Amino acid sequence: MEASVEQLVYVREDEYTVARMSSEEVPAFVASGRALAGVQPGETLSLTGTWEEHPRHGRRLAVTACERVTPSTVRAIQLYLGSGLIRGIGPRLAHAIVSHFGADSLTVIDTAPERLREVVNIGPVRQAQIVEAWREQKAVAALMVALQGFGASPLLAAKIYQVFGAQSLEVLTTDPYQLIGRVRGIAFVTADRIALRCGVPETSPQRIKAALLDRLEAAATGGGHCYLSPTALVTQTVAVVQQDEELVRRQLDALRADKRVVVEADAVYLRELHDREVKLAAELARLLRARSTLRLRPYAEDLSLDDDQRAAVTMALTSTVSVITGGPGCGKSHTVKVIAATVRAMGGRVTLCAPTGKAAKRLSELTGQRAMTVHRMLAHEPDPEALFDEAPVQADLIVVDEASMLDLHLATRLCTAVLSGTHLLFVGDSDQLPSIGPGSVLSDLLRVEAVPRVRLTRVFRQADGSAIIRAAHSIRTGELPALPGGGGFWFEEMDDPDEVASRVVHLATEAIPRKQGVDPGQVQVLCPMRKGAAGTAELGRRLQERLNPPADDKPEHWSGPRVFRLGDRVMPIRNNYDKGVFNGETGTVTALDPIERTLEVRIDDGEVVTYGFDELDDLTHAYAISVHRSQGSEYPFIVAPVVVEAGGIMLRRRLLYTLVTRARSWVVLVGQRKALELAVHRLGRRRNTSLAARLAYHLG
């Protein structure tokens, strides 16, 4: 039958979709199936399927095939135009257009758009906007059909169009490997499937090179590695392309000749990562060798400091680059507060910063002094054509807190902008997870003997009574904390992942808020993994349904398997210099406009940012987040599943240690004891970096 999509009800991770539909034959019904992937309210579809009786939800059409068709009835055309699919046309304007042109409305927009001005409230600007949106919608629809023909997800169509515009279909059919790395969600496997169906030979140099670059990119984004050994790279690529090893090695040599990769000794780098690592080592060496511009004067030692803290103060005042590291409760923040106050008392200028907004806010609260993100300190958008063009930062002392979060990209930008003679102090916990991005900057600095450092080890009395801190220090040394715990740290043993997920939702939304007398917004769910019943995706969905369920007065928009709703808690996952938002900040959806296809987010620092519906890949829901994304933040209450499921490979000591140290008052772990033991005893692999060796070489 031919039917119009009235509303999306549910979209699963595997693209299984449930939608409310209407047709002339059946005024209202529910359709479901993976064939509906990517459909949007307002579209008219030609459906093939079978009527079934669902045990819980009643009669529905199980769709086996779906094809988009041009709406033909006046009602379907008005529904299509008023749905928000064509940016700039809402229900009122759709009614006006259809009242004027009737069943010819879409033909007019397509072939005689100048006639739109016959409708009240449509001038030249609105007409141009409608025509552009109409063309975009047609192009995306064509892309969806092409993708389905190639056995790829139609949900990728809008993302491809956002990057390649009018050239999208040509790129898709002539060189789909261009999509890798430029379109979120497209890695080699997807691009390769399309390319092979387009007739690209399996032995094509283009194909082998794309696979090699993809493996290097995956190592950087998935494992934080700056390089792979030639053997590992070739082995991984052979497994992907199923071709002869010698053929793969020849294409690796070709990439090297094209200067798209750099091969050094037993390491193959992507060109950009190699250049950044070389640059960072040189900039750190420059700063370490520089003569201090800080004019030291006698100062009164703070009697509240212990010997290690006093040594850290002296180091920071006399060394142009230095590191303070230590676990929770060891006085890092108090030491930084004393150092900053001392420099200011000498007439010096101090800048406190951290990689994320939450980390900067926390640093400000702990020290009582203003702090900012590293990005805001650098204060301008980098030129994409020039890797190292930072404006100098004017300060006598720059303190970078939560330095374990610094990846290779941000650390290079930072050090390039620091003037010689300025004191640069890195502060962080080297036992926490490394950065989300490639590199392991803090750990690499600590591996270079010439870099001054002080490790604070004494847990102070005010922190010594904290069960969270005791548990964290046990985990750091490879010991299982006392179980089930108490006084701020608690482990609730449960074996089945589905039951674990249900218990986590109950604790986060009902039990802890009721017992502690707090809003559920004070409780954060952290997950070691993304997939599975106890992963961020499924738990986030369940928490959203509990904390911000759908309602008639809450506009919403489905973006793939995620629904964004007025009132949702969200988190940017990509730095956006134009918008002034950075990875790791959190905010609330305060407005959602289906006509202009935008949503508005109020970041927790008060800034309001607008995202187009085509930019929603830059946002994730913040109901359940990964431990990596929690770095630099602190939450009053944390609930976390710990199970050996889809993400069992993620269970490592650093991850568990980082998770526990994010809690201020309580952390409740729910799951399997064997999973907890695995996490405590399993050490993570060291990232492939050469920063320490490069810096040591510079320093002789």
Side-chain angles (χ1 to χ4, degrees):
M1 71 169 72
E2 195 170 287
S4 297
V5 183
E6 299 279 348
Q7 182 186 9
L8 293 180
V9 177
Y10 180 76
V11 183
R12 214 163 55 193
E13 286 281 317
D14 64 358
E15 299 180 359
Y16 176 87
T17 300
V18 180
R20 291 194 177 94
M21 313 283 291
S22 65
S23 72
E24 290 189 348
E25 297 91 341
V26 186
F29 67 96
V30 172
S32 64
R34 293 185 65 185
L36 293 172
V39 302
Q40 291 290 315
E43 290 185 315
T44 297
L45 310 172
S46 176
L47 302 174
T48 302
T50 307
W51 290 107
E52 294 181 349
E53 195 69 28
H54 191 278
R56 285 179 57 198
H57 304 294
R59 191 167 182 257
R60 63 171 58 182
L61 183 68
V63 179
T64 55
C66 161
E67 183 182 344
R68 287 167 178 77
V69 297
T70 302
S72 55
T73 68
V74 169
R75 182 186 180 282
I77 291 171
Q78 184 167 329
L79 178 65
Y80 175 75
L81 291 177
S83 67
L85 279 170
I86 309 300
R87 185 182 288 109
I89 301 181
R92 287 185 180 179
L93 193 54
H95 178 73
I97 292 171
V98 173
S99 295
H100 189 76
F101 296 115
D104 295 328
S105 296
L106 298 182
T107 304
V108 168
I109 295 173
D110 195 36
T111 62
E114 66 280 355
R115 289 195 60 197
L116 285 170
R117 297 194 206 174
E118 297 173 15
V119 179
V120 177
N121 292 330
I122 297 183
V125 174
R126 179 60 63 88
Q127 177 207 326
Q129 183 184 29
I130 291 171
V131 170
E132 176 60 29
W134 167 256
R135 287 175 181 161
E136 178 180 326
Q137 184 62 26
K138 283 181 67 178
V140 170
L143 274 175
M144 294 179 92
V145 172
L147 285 164
Q148 284 178 309
F150 291 134
S153 170
L155 297 178
L156 298 169
K159 301 176 185 180
I160 294 172
Y161 190 85
Q162 186 181 1
V163 177
F164 293 100
Q167 307 301 312
S168 296
L169 199 56
E170 181 183 351
V171 170
L172 185 69
T173 54
T174 61
D175 188 9
Y177 296 114
Q178 283 192 55
L179 304 173
I180 302 172
R182 298 183 65 184
V183 178
R184 188 173 175 83
I186 297 186
F188 177 81
V189 173
T190 300
D192 193 46
R193 182 188 305 128
I194 297 169
L196 293 175
R197 293 200 180 188
C198 288
V200 173
E202 291 187 358
T203 57
S204 162
Q206 174 192 29
R207 178 176 185 248
I208 309 302
K209 288 177 182 176
L212 284 161
L213 294 172
D214 177 71
R215 291 300 84 204
L216 287 172
E217 186 65 42
T221 56
H225 299 296
C226 294
Y227 67 82
L228 287 175
S229 71
T231 301
L233 176 58
V234 169
T235 300
Q236 290 182 27
T237 306
V238 165
V240 169
V241 299
Q242 295 293 299
Q243 295 299 313
D244 183 69
E245 183 178 311
E246 184 56 35
L247 175 62
V248 173
R249 290 190 181 277
R250 284 203 303 271
Q251 297 313 317
L252 176 56
D253 290 339
L255 285 174
R256 183 180 186 181
D258 293 342
K259 297 184 178 179
R260 297 176 71 182
V261 301
V262 176
V263 181
E264 280 187 353
D266 197 39
V268 183
Y269 287 83
L270 289 168
R271 164 65 63 180
E272 183 192 1
L273 290 181
H274 175 268
D275 290 350
R276 287 191 183 275
E277 192 176 80
V278 169
K279 179 68 172 177
L280 179 55
E283 293 297 332
L284 283 166
R286 169 182 64 84
L287 296 172
L288 276 158
R289 289 200 190 101
R291 178 177 295 178
S292 171
T293 57
L294 187 62
R295 301 186 184 280
L296 286 177
R297 296 202 298 255
Y299 64 94
E301 289 192 351
D302 192 311
L303 298 178
S304 67
L305 303 179
D306 70 2
D307 291 343
D308 286 342
Q309 289 176 305
R310 277 193 287 274
V313 173
T314 301
M315 174 189 70
L317 297 178
T318 56
S319 303
T320 49
V321 177
S322 57
V323 179
I324 297 176
T325 187
C330 291
K332 295 192 300 294
S333 297
H334 181 62
T335 306
V336 167
K337 182 177 182 179
V338 172
I339 292 169
T342 302
V343 172
R344 287 197 174 106
M346 295 175 177
R349 297 163 297 178
V350 179
T351 297
L352 303 181
C353 63
T356 67
K358 279 202 168 183
K361 182 179 179 182
R362 186 171 168 227
L363 176 62
S364 181
E365 291 169 349
L366 290 170
T367 62
Q369 300 174 30
R370 180 174 176 266
M372 67 185 82
T373 64
V374 176
H375 304 88
R376 294 191 195 280
M377 181 183 72
L378 297 176
H380 80 293
E381 180 179 0
D383 180 353
E385 299 301 319
L387 291 178
F388 319 115
D389 67 336
E390 301 307 330
V393 177
Q394 304 291 333
D396 296 293
L397 169 68
I398 298 172
V399 179
V400 186
D401 196 23
E402 296 287 356
S404 62
M405 299 176 66
L406 282 176
D407 66 11
L408 185 61
H409 303 295
L410 187 55
T412 305
R413 289 190 59 205
L414 167 67
C415 292
T416 302
V418 176
L419 293 170
S420 296
T422 298
H423 287 228
L424 180 59
L425 173 62
F426 295 99
V427 181
D429 187 343
S430 58
D431 292 310
Q432 285 192 24
L433 284 170
S435 57
I436 293 176
S440 188
V441 176
L442 181 62
S443 294
D444 285 346
L445 282 172
L446 292 170
R447 281 198 283 272
V448 181
E449 290 186 10
V451 176
R453 85 287 305 276
V454 169
R455 182 178 185 93
L456 303 179
T457 57
R458 175 188 167 194
V459 178
F460 284 85
R461 185 180 304 167
Q462 64 270 27
D464 194 35
S466 166
I468 293 173
I469 289 178
R470 287 199 305 272
H473 283 281
S474 294
I475 293 166
R476 184 179 66 80
T477 57
E479 298 176 11
L480 198 68
L483 300 178
F489 174 85
W490 188 261
F491 175 65
E492 191 167 315
E493 190 167 358
M494 195 172 286
D495 194 56
D496 181 74
D498 289 313
E499 292 180 8
V500 169
S502 296
R503 182 60 177 163
V504 166
V505 171
H506 175 72
L507 285 167
T509 61
E510 295 182 38
I512 291 177
R514 183 175 62 247
K515 184 173 182 178
Q516 300 294 330
V518 298
D519 185 88
Q522 298 291 299
V523 186
Q524 180 64 55
V525 173
L526 299 183
C527 301
M529 66 290 243
R530 181 184 176 277
K531 296 182 178 180
T536 56
E538 184 57 30
L539 268 176
R541 184 194 292 269
R542 293 176 65 170
L543 288 163
Q544 180 191 35
E545 288 299 304
R546 187 73 63 89
L547 297 173
N548 191 29
D552 291 340
D553 61 345
K554 289 182 190 174
E556 63 181 39
H557 173 74
W558 284 87
S559 177
R562 304 176 303 159
V563 59
F564 288 89
R565 191 173 290 139
L566 189 69
D568 272 341
R569 291 290 292 164
V570 294
M571 171 183 285
I573 58 173
R574 197 172 297 161
N575 298 332
N576 188 312
Y577 297 93
D578 290 332
K579 298 182 188 298
V581 295
F582 304 103
N583 188 357
E585 296 179 323
T586 52
T588 303
V589 177
T590 52
L592 195 152
D593 188 338
I595 308 308
E596 294 303 321
R597 299 183 68 78
T598 60
L599 63 77
E600 189 177 272
V601 177
R602 182 178 296 278
I603 303 298
D604 289 345
D605 65 5
E607 196 162 338
V608 176
V609 184
T610 300
Y611 286 86
F613 284 177
D614 58 358
E615 298 178 298
L616 296 182
D617 271 356
D618 288 357
L619 287 177
T620 188
H621 289 90
Y623 296 106
I625 62 175
S626 70
V627 180
H628 253 119
R629 296 208 181 280
S630 74
Q631 284 179 273
S633 301
E634 189 178 69
Y635 309 95
F637 304 92
I638 285 175
V639 184
V642 186
V643 294
V644 182
E645 202 191 11
I649 193 171
M650 298 297 294
L651 292 173
R652 310 268 178 178
R653 185 182 299 171
R654 280 190 172 190
L655 182 139
L656 183 62
Y657 175 78
T658 303
L659 187 162
V660 169
T661 56
R662 298 308 90 203
R664 189 183 309 133
S665 300
W666 269 92
V667 58
V668 181
L669 306 179
V670 183
Q672 303 154 348
R673 185 185 177 99
K674 63 180 179 182
L676 189 63
E677 292 173 347
L678 180 67
V680 169
H681 298 306
R682 184 195 272 167
L683 296 173
R685 288 177 55 196
R686 217 171 93 178
R687 292 183 168 185
N688 295 340
T689 72
S690 296
L691 178 62
R694 294 186 197 280
L695 182 55
Y697 176 80
H698 274 291
L699 299 175

